[in-house]
Amino acid sequence: MKAVVPGSFDPFTLGHQDVVVRASRLFDQVVVAVGVNIGKQSLFDVDRRVAMVRDAVASLGNVSVAALDGLAVDFCREHGASVLVRGARSGADYEAEWAMAMMNASMEDVETIVLPAAAAVSFISSTLVREVARAGGDIARFVPANVVVSMQKEL
């Protein structure tokens, strides 16, 4: 069975990586779908984010990475996936994921699985990582090593 893990991943964090690793254990194939969130100002363009994610998950043999341009349910259909995997750090995240899951299910025959964040990474968000990096803080505990290098070059 194939699953899709969608997100903007700006930047890709250890929380995101945890969800992808766990999904790779549950499904035969996983596609990380790096999309554009029109409600957010991205630090990195989609091609750069795809490259960063690809590098961060390179050791996972059943995981691939692709750009997502459009709806996640359409991406699932195009890639032969029947499941979306999402992570949730809190009850508020779960509420938002529930609404999105219901919308996606009504548009396409796609199930959504929400994985609760592992305790060690449950507080990490891309927004907070960007803020810490912009203020000159050390982000090495929050993102894969390749992302640290990209963030240092960008900021």
Side-chain angles (χ1 to χ4, degrees):
M1 182 178 285
K2 186 184 277 190
V4 170
V5 180
S8 54
F9 308 116
D10 188 41
F12 190 70
T13 69
L14 293 179
H16 296 133
Q17 189 172 42
D18 177 66
V19 170
V20 173
V21 167
R22 290 163 60 202
S24 76
R25 294 178 187 146
L26 296 171
F27 297 94
D28 299 321
Q29 295 179 314
V30 174
V31 182
V32 180
V34 181
V36 177
N37 184 334
I38 58 173
K40 295 181 180 178
Q41 176 68 32
S42 295
L43 179 61
F44 298 104
D45 67 28
V46 70
D47 293 333
R48 188 106 175 267
R49 287 181 280 134
V50 165
M52 281 190 288
V53 174
R54 207 172 264 146
D55 188 38
V57 301
S59 66
L60 301 172
N62 65 333
V63 176
S64 60
V65 183
L68 164 63
D69 183 22
L71 297 173
V73 292
D74 292 338
F75 186 93
C76 286
R77 187 177 356 84
E78 292 163 9
H79 287 82
S82 58
V83 177
L84 286 166
V85 177
R86 302 285 295 173
R89 294 173 301 210
S90 66
D93 281 356
Y94 182 79
E95 289 291 324
E97 295 302 337
W98 179 84
M100 211 177 328
M102 296 302 101
M103 180 64 81
N104 288 337
S106 73
M107 293 169 45
E108 189 75 31
D109 189 20
V110 174
E111 291 293 332
T112 299
I113 294 177
V114 179
L115 297 176
V121 294
S122 63
F123 63 94
I124 301 172
S125 75
S126 293
T127 301
L128 291 175
V129 168
R130 286 192 308 268
E131 289 177 10
V132 169
R134 284 183 178 129
D138 181 10
I139 59 170
R141 294 175 303 212
F142 313 123
V143 298
N146 69 298
V147 175
V148 172
V149 172
S150 292
M151 294 287 290
Q152 289 170 341
K153 289 178 183 175
E154 188 66 28
L155 299 175

